Amino acid sequence: MSTEAKNVLILGTGPAGLTAAVYAARANLEPLVYQGPEPGGQLTTTTDVENFPGFSEGIMGPDLMEEMRKQAERFGSEIKTGWATKVDLSSRPFTVSFEGGEEVKANTLLIATGATAKTLGLEREKEMMGFGLSTCATCDGAFFRDQEIVVIGGGDSACEEATFLTKFGKRVRLILRRDAFRASKIMEERVHKNEKIEVIYNQNLVDILGDRKSGVTGAVLEHSDTGEKTEIECAAIFYGIGHHPNTELFKGVLEMDENGYLITRPDSTQTNVEGVFACGDVKDHVFRQAITAAGSGCMAAIEAERYLAEQE
Ligand code: NDP
C-alpha cells in the first residue's frame, strides 16, 4: 500500500458517493471526494423526495444532498471539484487524472459517477437545448409560466416532471410512445387526476420547431403505428425518458454490461479490478433510488475498508 496515495478516492457526490464518504470518513480513512458537473447528483434536479426514510413530511432533493454533504465533511471527507479524464488501474496505487492536469493516486477507488438523462438524438436537439428544450423540469420549469409545455416519456420521471410542471404551465401534454405507462400506478394516477395534464398515447417526437431567438415554438409528432405526422404548438419540451450511466471513463478498463452499467460481484460493490468498487446508479439499472444508491455507497466504503485492512 502506498502511503503517499489516498486511502480512498471517491468519484461522485450523489447519495452513493456521499454515503460512501460518510462511512469511509468515520472509519478514519480520510476520503478524497471529487464532484463532477452535477454536484449532489440527480436529486439536485428533483423537488420533493417522499420516499427517503427518516423524513415523514418529505424533503427537497437539493436539501437532502446538502445535508449529506455536510455530514460527509463533518467526519473529515475532503470534497473537491474536478472532471476525471483518465484512469490507470493497471498498477497500484491507482492513478486518476483530472482536467487541468492534476493526478491523484489512490489505494482504493470508489466509483459513484451516477447516470445522466437520456436524449432522443434529434437533429435540432443540441441547438435547442436550453432554449425551450430541457431534461430538468425543476431547473427550467419556472421559465414557462402560463405557457404550453410538452413532456416526453411514460415512466416515473416523466410523470413526476409533468406533475411538477403544472405549477407553471397553462397545460402540460405528456407524450407516450406506447399506449401504456411504464410508471408506477401511484404516479400514473396522479397524472390522470391532474386536470392540467393531457396524456397523448402512441406518438413519437420527431422534430423540434423554433430557433434560438424565439425558443421552442412547437413539436412535430409521428404516430407510432400509422407514421402520420402532426404539429403541436408549445413553448417548452422536457425529456423524461430515462438515463444512461456515466462510465465512458472506464470503457475497456472495467467490465460493464451492454448498456454501459458497471458490473459488480453479486451482493458486493467489487468490480473486476480488486480495490475498485462501484456504487449507486452507475451499477444499478434496476432500482435507481436514492436509498438504494446510499445503501450501496455504504457497502462500497465498508468493502474498501476491509480491502485496505487485508492489504496491510
Ligand atoms: P424509465 O426507464 O422507467 O422510463 C422511461 C420512459 O421513457 C418510458 O416510458 C419509455 O417508454 C420512455 N422512452 C424511452 N426512450 C424513449 C424514446 N426514444 N422516445 C419516447 N419515449 C421513450 O425511466 P425513469 O427515468 O422514468 O425511471 C427510472 C427509475 O427511477 C425507475 O425505477 C423509476 O421508478 C425511478 N424513479 C422514481 C421516482 C420516484 O419514485 N419519485 C421518480 C423518478 C424515477 P416505454 O415505456 O415505451 O419504454
Side-chain angles (χ1 to χ4, degrees):
M1 288 285 98
S2 166
T3 47
E4 283 163 35
K6 289 281 165 193
N7 279 318
V8 176
L9 173 63
I10 301 172
L11 300 180
T13 52
L18 289 178
T19 304
V22 169
Y23 273 77
R26 291 190 78 253
N28 286 338
L29 293 172
E30 299 172 335
L32 173 60
V33 189
Y34 269 85
Q35 61 185 14
E38 196 173 57
Q42 292 177 64
L43 274 194
T44 56
T45 65
T46 194
T47 48
D48 288 310
V49 178
E50 295 173 339
N51 50 13
F52 200 91
F55 302 94
S56 59
E57 298 299 319
I59 182 168
M60 298 299 277
D63 295 344
L64 178 59
M65 296 323 299
E66 182 57 23
E67 286 299 320
M68 281 194 203
R69 182 194 169 92
K70 282 193 212 150
Q71 195 177 356
E73 284 177 331
R74 182 179 150 213
F75 296 110
S77 306
E78 185 186 355
I79 302 182
K80 286 183 159 187
T81 300
W83 180 249
T85 52
K86 205 173 139 212
V87 285
D88 181 359
L89 308 180
S90 62
S91 57
R92 282 150 210 274
F94 307 126
T95 307
V96 180
S97 312
F98 292 86
E99 209 171 61
E102 191 184 0
E103 274 191 358
V104 176
K105 300 221 176 275
N107 293 321
T108 63
L109 176 64
L110 273 56
I111 302 166
T113 48
T116 299
K118 275 186 191 165
T119 55
L120 292 174
L122 301 180
E123 210 179 305
R124 306 201 54 236
E125 229 159 51
K126 273 209 178 92
E127 183 192 342
M128 296 310 291
M129 195 58 78
F131 293 84
L133 179 63
S134 171
T135 57
C136 175
T138 38
C139 316
D140 302 324
F143 296 125
F144 305 102
R145 276 178 205 281
D146 298 323
Q147 303 196 56
E148 289 281 354
I149 296 175
V150 160
V151 176
I152 310 293
D156 281 339
S157 295
C159 290
E160 194 177 61
E161 295 210 348
T163 306
F164 173 74
L165 287 165
T166 57
K167 287 187 192 177
F168 308 106
K170 183 162 68 182
R171 172 173 55 166
V172 176
R173 276 174 289 185
L174 183 59
I175 316 284
L176 277 66
R177 64 177 173 184
R178 291 189 291 134
D179 61 357
F181 279 80
R182 181 175 294 276
S184 53
K185 276 283 160 263
I186 186 168
M187 300 289 258
E188 181 183 343
E189 274 164 23
R190 241 177 243 177
V191 162
H192 291 311
K193 276 188 195 148
N194 193 320
E195 285 175 358
K196 281 174 99 178
I197 302 178
E198 183 186 321
V199 182
I200 300 177
Y201 295 96
N202 295 313
Q203 295 283 350
N204 288 286
L205 178 71
V206 290
D207 201 4
I208 299 157
L209 303 175
D211 55 41
R212 284 195 166 190
K213 204 161 162 244
S214 41
V216 165
T217 55
V220 182
L221 305 178
E222 187 180 86
H223 195 278
S224 305
D225 300 328
T226 64
E228 189 190 338
K229 284 191 180 157
T230 43
E231 279 185 25
I232 56 172
E233 280 182 20
C234 62
I237 300 172
F238 286 87
Y239 286 168
I241 59 170
H243 299 83
H244 63 81
N246 297 319
T247 53
E248 285 74 13
L249 194 59
F250 309 103
K251 279 204 176 117
V253 179
L254 290 175
E255 272 176 24
M256 43 184 86
D257 70 12
E258 67 279 10
N259 295 316
Y261 286 87
L262 294 180
I263 294 174
T264 53
R265 283 189 201 153
D267 301 323
S268 166
T269 62
Q270 171 71 62
T271 67
N272 62 308
V273 175
E274 281 218 354
V276 179
F277 305 89
C279 50
D281 285 14
V282 77
K283 59 148 269 181
D284 171 25
H285 55 90
V286 179
F287 301 106
R288 294 188 281 201
Q289 300 298 299
I291 189 67
T292 49
S296 73
C298 158
M299 287 168 67
I302 291 175
E303 290 191 290
E305 185 188 353
R306 288 181 184 161
Y307 169 80
L308 289 167
E310 277 166 20
Q311 302 307 304
E312 278 166 13

